[in-house]
PDB file of all heavy atoms in Angstrom:
ATOM      1  N   PRO L 738      10.065 -15.915  -5.865  1.00  0.00           N
ATOM      2  CA  PRO L 738      10.546 -16.216  -7.220  1.00  0.00           C
ATOM      3  C   PRO L 738      10.118 -15.221  -8.300  1.00  0.00           C
ATOM      4  O   PRO L 738       9.333 -15.562  -9.182  1.00  0.00           O
ATOM      5  CB  PRO L 738       9.882 -17.570  -7.482  1.00  0.00           C
ATOM      6  CG  PRO L 738       8.524 -17.430  -6.805  1.00  0.00           C
ATOM      7  CD  PRO L 738       8.699 -16.437  -5.687  1.00  0.00           C
ATOM      8  N   PRO L 739      10.604 -13.982  -8.266  1.00  0.00           N
ATOM      9  CA  PRO L 739      10.163 -13.023  -9.284  1.00  0.00           C
ATOM     10  C   PRO L 739      10.735 -13.326 -10.664  1.00  0.00           C
ATOM     11  O   PRO L 739      11.861 -13.813 -10.780  1.00  0.00           O
ATOM     12  CB  PRO L 739      10.732 -11.697  -8.776  1.00  0.00           C
ATOM     13  CG  PRO L 739      11.966 -12.098  -8.028  1.00  0.00           C
ATOM     14  CD  PRO L 739      11.609 -13.400  -7.366  1.00  0.00           C
ATOM     15  N   GLU L 740       9.942 -12.999 -11.661  1.00  0.00           N
ATOM     16  CA  GLU L 740      10.463 -13.033 -13.016  1.00  0.00           C
ATOM     17  C   GLU L 740      11.038 -11.642 -13.281  1.00  0.00           C
ATOM     18  O   GLU L 740      10.334 -10.643 -13.112  1.00  0.00           O
ATOM     19  CB  GLU L 740       9.328 -13.335 -14.007  1.00  0.00           C
ATOM     20  CG  GLU L 740       9.837 -13.509 -15.405  1.00  0.00           C
ATOM     21  CD  GLU L 740       8.729 -13.825 -16.407  1.00  0.00           C
ATOM     22  OE1 GLU L 740       7.579 -14.047 -15.991  1.00  0.00           O
ATOM     23  OE2 GLU L 740       9.044 -13.825 -17.609  1.00  0.00           O
ATOM     24  N   ASN L 742      11.161  -9.285 -15.252  1.00  0.00           N
ATOM     25  CA  ASN L 742      10.624  -8.649 -16.461  1.00  0.00           C
ATOM     26  C   ASN L 742       9.867  -7.371 -16.130  1.00  0.00           C
ATOM     27  O   ASN L 742       9.010  -6.925 -16.873  1.00  0.00           O
ATOM     28  CB  ASN L 742       9.719  -9.632 -17.228  1.00  0.00           C
ATOM     29  CG  ASN L 742       8.515 -10.056 -16.403  1.00  0.00           C
ATOM     30  OD1 ASN L 742       8.439  -9.748 -15.214  1.00  0.00           O
ATOM     31  ND2 ASN L 742       7.586 -10.736 -17.019  1.00  0.00           N
ATOM     32  N   HIS L 749       3.604  -7.992  -5.095  1.00  0.00           N
ATOM     33  CA  HIS L 749       4.823  -8.746  -4.797  1.00  0.00           C
ATOM     34  C   HIS L 749       5.223  -8.551  -3.342  1.00  0.00           C
ATOM     35  O   HIS L 749       5.735  -9.472  -2.705  1.00  0.00           O
ATOM     36  CB  HIS L 749       5.977  -8.302  -5.701  1.00  0.00           C
ATOM     37  CG  HIS L 749       5.770  -8.632  -7.150  1.00  0.00           C
ATOM     38  ND1 HIS L 749       5.644  -7.663  -8.117  1.00  0.00           N
ATOM     39  CD2 HIS L 749       5.649  -9.819  -7.786  1.00  0.00           C
ATOM     40  CE1 HIS L 749       5.468  -8.245  -9.293  1.00  0.00           C
ATOM     41  NE2 HIS L 749       5.457  -9.550  -9.120  1.00  0.00           N
ATOM     42  N   ASP L 772      13.252 -16.119 -11.585  1.00  0.00           N
ATOM     43  CA  ASP L 772      12.652 -17.090 -12.487  1.00  0.00           C
ATOM     44  C   ASP L 772      12.909 -16.582 -13.906  1.00  0.00           C
ATOM     45  O   ASP L 772      12.064 -15.952 -14.524  1.00  0.00           O
ATOM     46  CB  ASP L 772      11.164 -17.190 -12.140  1.00  0.00           C
ATOM     47  CG  ASP L 772      10.363 -17.804 -13.248  1.00  0.00           C
ATOM     48  OD1 ASP L 772      10.911 -18.658 -13.964  1.00  0.00           O
ATOM     49  OD2 ASP L 772       9.195 -17.416 -13.409  1.00  0.00           O
ATOM     50  N   TYR L 917       7.720 -22.614 -17.663  1.00  0.00           N
ATOM     51  CA  TYR L 917       7.620 -22.191 -16.269  1.00  0.00           C
ATOM     52  C   TYR L 917       7.273 -23.333 -15.308  1.00  0.00           C
ATOM     53  O   TYR L 917       7.943 -23.537 -14.303  1.00  0.00           O
ATOM     54  CB  TYR L 917       6.575 -21.071 -16.139  1.00  0.00           C
ATOM     55  CG  TYR L 917       6.335 -20.688 -14.720  1.00  0.00           C
ATOM     56  CD1 TYR L 917       7.203 -19.809 -14.069  1.00  0.00           C
ATOM     57  CD2 TYR L 917       5.285 -21.238 -13.984  1.00  0.00           C
ATOM     58  CE1 TYR L 917       7.015 -19.483 -12.744  1.00  0.00           C
ATOM     59  CE2 TYR L 917       5.096 -20.921 -12.662  1.00  0.00           C
ATOM     60  CZ  TYR L 917       5.951 -20.039 -12.036  1.00  0.00           C
ATOM     61  OH  TYR L 917       5.776 -19.738 -10.729  1.00  0.00           O
ATOM     62  N   GLU L 938      -3.888 -18.623  -9.187  1.00  0.00           N
ATOM     63  CA  GLU L 938      -4.003 -19.063 -10.576  1.00  0.00           C
ATOM     64  C   GLU L 938      -3.151 -20.301 -10.853  1.00  0.00           C
ATOM     65  O   GLU L 938      -3.293 -20.937 -11.889  1.00  0.00           O
ATOM     66  CB  GLU L 938      -3.682 -17.915 -11.545  1.00  0.00           C
ATOM     67  CG  GLU L 938      -2.250 -17.430 -11.546  1.00  0.00           C
ATOM     68  CD  GLU L 938      -1.965 -16.355 -10.508  1.00  0.00           C
ATOM     69  OE1 GLU L 938      -2.716 -16.254  -9.515  1.00  0.00           O
ATOM     70  OE2 GLU L 938      -0.976 -15.617 -10.685  1.00  0.00           O
ATOM     71  N   PHE L 939      -2.298 -20.663  -9.895  1.00  0.00           N
ATOM     72  CA  PHE L 939      -1.483 -21.867 -10.088  1.00  0.00           C
ATOM     73  C   PHE L 939      -2.107 -23.116  -9.468  1.00  0.00           C
ATOM     74  O   PHE L 939      -1.532 -24.192  -9.523  1.00  0.00           O
ATOM     75  CB  PHE L 939      -0.070 -21.646  -9.540  1.00  0.00           C
ATOM     76  CG  PHE L 939       0.703 -20.653 -10.366  1.00  0.00           C
ATOM     77  CD1 PHE L 939       0.887 -19.355  -9.935  1.00  0.00           C
ATOM     78  CD2 PHE L 939       1.196 -21.021 -11.608  1.00  0.00           C
ATOM     79  CE1 PHE L 939       1.562 -18.436 -10.725  1.00  0.00           C
ATOM     80  CE2 PHE L 939       1.870 -20.108 -12.399  1.00  0.00           C
ATOM     81  CZ  PHE L 939       2.052 -18.810 -11.955  1.00  0.00           C
ATOM     82  N   ARG L 966      -4.088 -13.715  -4.579  1.00  0.00           N
ATOM     83  CA  ARG L 966      -3.196 -12.584  -4.828  1.00  0.00           C
ATOM     84  C   ARG L 966      -3.822 -11.315  -4.298  1.00  0.00           C
ATOM     85  O   ARG L 966      -5.029 -11.230  -4.077  1.00  0.00           O
ATOM     86  CB  ARG L 966      -2.876 -12.458  -6.310  1.00  0.00           C
ATOM     87  CG  ARG L 966      -4.056 -12.162  -7.208  1.00  0.00           C
ATOM     88  CD  ARG L 966      -3.602 -11.801  -8.623  1.00  0.00           C
ATOM     89  NE  ARG L 966      -2.574 -12.692  -9.126  1.00  0.00           N
ATOM     90  CZ  ARG L 966      -1.423 -12.267  -9.665  1.00  0.00           C
ATOM     91  NH1 ARG L 966      -1.157 -10.981  -9.789  1.00  0.00           N
ATOM     92  NH2 ARG L 966      -0.544 -13.114 -10.119  1.00  0.00           N
ATOM     93  N   LYS L 976       2.268  -6.513 -14.363  1.00  0.00           N
ATOM     94  CA  LYS L 976       3.493  -5.879 -14.851  1.00  0.00           C
ATOM     95  C   LYS L 976       3.314  -5.400 -16.288  1.00  0.00           C
ATOM     96  O   LYS L 976       3.882  -4.382 -16.676  1.00  0.00           O
ATOM     97  CB  LYS L 976       4.658  -6.863 -14.751  1.00  0.00           C
ATOM     98  CG  LYS L 976       5.236  -6.915 -13.352  1.00  0.00           C
ATOM     99  CD  LYS L 976       6.473  -7.774 -13.281  1.00  0.00           C
ATOM    100  CE  LYS L 976       6.101  -9.215 -13.165  1.00  0.00           C
ATOM    101  NZ  LYS L 976       7.225 -10.069 -12.743  1.00  0.00           N
TER     102      LYS L 976
HETATM  103 MG1  LIG V1020       4.627 -14.920 -13.034  1.00  0.00          MG
END
Side-chain angles (χ1 to χ4, degrees):
E740 185 179 353
N742 62 351
H749 294 116
D772 162 32
Y917 175 82
E938 67 273 22
F939 291 103
R966 63 169 45 230
K976 279 186 278 195

